[in-house]
Amino acid sequence: MPAKKVRFGDFELDYGHFRLYLHGQPVALEGLPLQLLMHLVDNHRQLVTRDNIAEVLWGKDVFVDVEQGINTAIRKIRIALNDRSEHPQYLQTVVGRGYRFLAACEDDSTEVMFSAEELGRAVMAAAGLDPVDPKVK
């Protein structure tokens, strides 16, 4: 399976190498903020709640200051993306709820996903059967 790469703005997020690049150059971003950025990009334009972030990053049974951890990770992401909360280009704060990744994303991975129904029709067509009426050849 090819490694997933997502482009947004001048950035590229390389999931396989666990790196963020700006114009092809690596951007310093620690593991936890990078993992959060990947989660936000995976859910781009959707609200990602603070509870969801806590569960994704630390799991359910955690004994850390989750609120401070999220705030720190968000701040580090904004620094890496040169984004400002007052006029966000990439990361919007939804006060009291969570965050939303705003930028349009282009997925560079070549992986193609099909539904089970689409795959079944393709297999039947390849076998010379009519996907609508399997008795017809």
Side-chain angles (χ1 to χ4, degrees), residues 12-87:
E12 180 179 74
L13 190 53
D14 186 334
Y15 287 63
H17 291 105
F18 202 65
R19 295 297 309 250
L20 175 67
Y21 296 93
L22 173 62
H23 299 293
Q25 298 299 311
V27 176
L29 189 58
E30 298 168 10
L32 201 65
L34 186 59
Q35 185 178 349
L36 175 54
L37 177 59
M38 289 175 172
H39 183 62
L40 291 166
V41 167
D42 283 343
N43 294 284
H44 75 284
R45 299 202 174 136
Q46 297 176 35
L47 173 67
V48 178
T49 65
R50 292 178 70 88
D51 288 341
N52 176 257
I53 292 169
E55 187 175 328
V56 166
L57 296 183
W58 293 285
K60 291 190 183 248
D61 300 320
V62 345
F63 301 101
V64 297
D65 185 351
V66 171
E67 295 300 315
Q68 185 61 35
I70 292 172
N71 294 342
T72 300
I74 291 293
R75 182 174 40 80
K76 289 179 178 183
I77 292 169
R78 283 198 169 114
I79 290 169
L81 299 178
N82 195 25
D83 202 27
R84 301 179 60 130
S85 60
E86 304 83 29
H87 302 287

